[in-house]
Structure formats: C-alpha cells, structure tokens
Amino acid sequence: MSYLIISFSHKNTDIEMREKLAFGSDEVKDRFLRAILSNEVTKEAVLLSTCNRVEIITRSLNIKLSAKHIIETLASYSSLDYDVLYERADIYDNDGAVHHLFSVASALDSLVLGETQIVGQLKDAFRFAQAREHCGTKITRIMTYAFKCAANVRTATSLGTGSVSVASTAVAKAKSIIKDTKGVKALVIGAGEMSELTIKHLISSGFDVILTSRDISKARNLAKTFDVQIDVQPYENLSNLLSEVPVMITATSAPYPIITEENTSYTLFSRYWFDIAVPRDIDDISMAGLNIYSVDDLQDIVNENMSLRAEQAKTAYSIVSKMSAEFFDWLKTLDIEPIVKDLYTKGDDVIDKKVKNAIKKGFIRSEDEENIRKLCQTILTEYLHKPSKQLKDISKNMECDIVIGTIQNMFGNKEDEDFSDKYKCEHLIKNLK
C-alpha cells in the first residue's frame, strides 16, 4: 500500500488550464471520485479543488497503474490531452506524498504563503469523500496527521497572520493603486466564503463596499454579519454598477464569464477589476482605462509576501519534515500492534485447545482447569514479552517491512496477499508510459 498524490497548482499550470481542471458541483466531484476508484488498484481517494489547485489524494496498491488511470480519467473530464496533463502533473509517492500533503495543509505550497483558507478547504474535501465512502482508514490517518501538522505550524509561526489569502492580496493590490481609499466605492460580486473574506479586507482598508449577487437574499444575509453598512444592490444593476465603481472584486462560482464586453461600457475614469474566481468571471476585455487582474497577476504581492515570511517558512518546513517522519513511525507501530496481538491470541488458542484435550484424556482434573490456564498464560506472557518489545523497537528501523512480512508469513496472517503479489508497488514517479 502506498499513498499517491497527483497535483496541479499555480506552480505547474496557468489559469487557463486550472479553469479546465476545476470541479464545480458536488455531483461532478462524486462522479470523478467514483471513476478513479473503479480501478482495482486505487482503493481510497479525496479530491481537493480550489481556485489555485487540484489535488487528487489516494491510497494505491500500484503507483504506476493508479497514476495512469487517474490522469486518463482527468483528461477525459477536462478535455485536455493526456500527455499535456502528464507533463504538467506533480506526482508524489509515499514519503513525497506525505510531505506534500502536510505542506499543502500548512499553506506552504499556496500562492499566498500562509493563507488561512486551505486547511478548511482540505477538511471540506475530506468530509465530502468520507460522507460518500470514497475513503477509509488509511486516508483518514494521513488526513488527521496533516491537520495536526497544520495546527502545529500555525502555533509555532506567524504565517497565519496578515495578508494571507488571495482575497486579501487582491485588496492589498487595490489599496496600493488607489492610495487614499476614504470614500472610494468597491464592488464585490458573489456572496460566498471568498466574497466574505474580500469584504472584511475592503472594510479594514477603508473602502465603501457595495455587494451584489444572483442570490440577493444570501447577499443581504451576508451584509448583516458586518458592523458597518454594506450597500446590497440587485444583480440586475450589474452593468450600471460596473460603469460607476472604480474597484471591483468578483468571486462567484459561475462556470462561465459573467462579465463580458456586452455588459461593460467605457468610462472616463480608470477602473481596477480583480477576478479571483476559477473559472474566471471576467472575459477577455480590452478597453481604455480598464485594468483587469486575475489570480496569477497578483504574483508581485505574493513575492513580497514570500520574502517577508521566508524565516517563518524555514521553521514551518522543519515542522513538516519532522511530522512526516513521525507519521511513518506511527504507521509502522500500527502495523506491529496487530501482529503482537495476534501472537498472544494464537497462544491463547493453543492453551485452550491443549487444556481441553488434557482434561478429556484425564491428564488434569477439570477443577484445576482455571489455575492451569492462568499458569500457561503467565508462561506465554513472559515468553512473548521480549519479542513483543523487540518488534516495537524494530518498527522504527528500515527493516520493519521485511520483518513484518516474514512474521505474517510464518503465522499465516498476511493481508492483501493477492494484491501484493499481483501489483507489487514500484514507487515510480513520472514513469507511467
């Protein structure tokens, strides 16, 4: 059994490709997970899809076959060529997969280093897979440890403070352009979590916020959660709002652009639009005085963010590395414990069989049965005490898997025997063809 992660992010794809890879609805996510689990070597899966990344987190009995099938399925879903996806994909196996997942959960792999939304998005993805029975014990173990690692990073560093999200970065960029934000109106389109974050940062930066959404009741409810006045406008007024407001940030879940040349008119003043949605909300529009920024265009602030947080990142990465090693040590102890328990169980079975046989043949009296059992169990415990301790010590060594396999074979208790013989894990990275 190996952990396998196939990753597409801002590091290896542009926004056009991420738009095609994005998963919109729960139904689409569910179908994709079912499709990749139809392969007999991919046993568990979680799908994380955000504006900046798609992570396919799995437990695999064969890295090569699983990865090939997953990328083929993704190619079919996205209408992208298999070879293109294969060349772009970052494929992580076992140690690399654990380290990558822990880095993602700790926001060390994010566009904005230390952004606080990713761990929540990962938890939502995990709950989704759990609810639909797409993942089980093995994925639960790695996810639990990943969330523990993220918590440790937040506690030990200050990476979770300051401008640490795409929304806050967009607002920071707008503020750097506008300079004096007092009395300046900023339009927010959408009433979801990203819009909520955007409004918070706009308010703290001194903007007057206007909010619009197709779901006007949801927009009104969102506006009520803030202490300051939020001007909620009907979505039908979008075209007028776009021609009246200098700053606009859009973050809807629409599968197609909602802002096009048709609903965009020329103005005498400069406008600054920030599209932090994937797929993008703003179509390709070329117009004098109109400045459009997508997620990838915020890289200058991201780079500044990176330099300011470099020292904190070193501490965070050391935590990730330490906890990745601890995770594998913990997994090995979990493999040892059933073996130790099985040794005692088999010993008890032998005692039970032999005592009953001795009573039946008249070697011992039935009234002495309890005392003889206690004596035999004491002997068994003393006999197995040192081997049990040595097994637990061996779990920390490189020879652990060999020893476990040998003992399982000796006592006839080898799990996944058919699969381990048929699909020996080759631990290959980028050698799927």
Side-chain angles (χ1 to χ4, degrees), residues 374-418:
K374 287 181 179 178
L375 175 62
C376 291
Q377 286 169 345
T378 300
I379 295 170
L380 176 67
T381 300
E382 185 172 339
Y383 177 71
L384 291 179
H385 173 72
K386 188 173 181 180
S388 298
K389 185 176 182 302
Q390 288 177 324
L391 276 175
K392 290 176 181 178
D393 291 339
I394 287 171
S395 71
K396 301 175 184 178
N397 300 331
M398 294 296 291
E399 297 84 5
C400 176
D401 292 339
I402 298 172
V403 173
I404 288 175
T406 301
I407 294 174
Q408 286 175 330
N409 282 325
M410 287 172 59
F411 289 91
N413 186 33
K414 189 166 181 63
E415 297 179 356
D416 290 333
E417 186 170 3
D418 293 338

Side-chain angles (χ1 to χ4, degrees), residues 189 290 302 310 312 327 392:
I189 305 175
L290 177 59
V302 171
Q312 293 291 313
F327 174 71
K392 290 176 181 178

Side-chain angles (χ1 to χ4, degrees), residues 251-269:
T252 78
S253 57
Y256 50 81
I258 60 172
I259 301 172
T260 63
E261 288 188 352
E262 283 70 28
N263 58 6
T264 302
S265 57
Y266 172 76
T267 62
L268 295 175
F269 61 90

